[in-house]
Amino acid sequence: MSTTESGREATADCPWCGEVRAGERTVTVGPPPHLGEAHAFEFHGDCFEDWRAFVARARHLASAGGRETLLSYPLEHGVAELVDDER
């Protein structure tokens, strides 16, 4: 993952919070080496830090054996089937 800080004025929405990025400090993430520039995303600086913490937590869950139950399955199917409210 490559990140670069950008001072340029942006007018699109931040992929993390959905708010307009106009005139704020932004951080560009990506694209991965095998994908083109269309797969780069520009975050507000604070949103980038939140996203980075989220990725670190997801990596921890995956390495602790929770990749399928806590990440992959819920992303594909939602969490409803996995939660037993009566426990």
Side-chain angles (χ1 to χ4, degrees), residues 8-74:
R8 65 181 174 245
E9 184 171 355
T11 56
D13 293 343
C14 172
W16 191 252
C17 72
E19 299 291 324
V20 174
R21 299 183 318 259
E24 298 182 40
R25 181 182 77 85
T26 63
V27 179
T28 302
V29 177
H34 63 285
L35 297 174
E37 287 297 318
H39 296 277
F41 293 90
E42 200 164 343
F43 289 75
H44 293 111
D46 292 342
C47 292
F48 168 74
E49 294 303 328
D50 291 346
W51 173 78
R52 183 191 300 204
F54 165 78
V55 170
R57 186 68 179 148
R59 290 184 67 164
H60 171 77
L61 291 170
S63 68
R67 178 182 305 271
E68 193 61 37
T69 303
L70 301 176
L71 299 170
S72 298
Y73 192 89

